[in-house]
Amino acid sequence: MRGTFQKTDSEPDKIAMDKLYVVRNGDLVVNITFAWEGAIAIVNQDDDGGW
């Protein structure tokens, strides 16, 4: 498990993806793209509501 990270200056409408998802505390996140492909994390309270 690698955990999550926050990038507070993100502009979701400028991200080149078809779909973005809002994560909630306790969600399981599986990364299927970019450098950490296959990484997983469980969303904590600090990341609740993030993209």
Side-chain angles (χ1 to χ4, degrees):
M1 217 183 282
R2 297 193 187 250
T4 59
F5 64 94
Q6 297 179 8
K7 185 175 179 191
T8 56
D9 62 343
S10 292
E11 296 179 52
D13 50 332
K14 292 185 178 181
I15 297 174
M17 295 185 72
D18 294 335
K19 292 182 181 180
L20 294 176
Y21 298 90
V22 175
V23 297
R24 297 293 178 202
N25 189 34
D27 284 354
L28 176 67
V29 177
V30 179
N31 187 14
I32 60 169
T33 59
F34 307 119
W36 286 3
E37 186 170 344
I40 63 170
I42 296 176
V43 178
N44 63 33
Q45 187 62 41
D46 292 337
D47 298 324
D48 187 73
W51 294 93

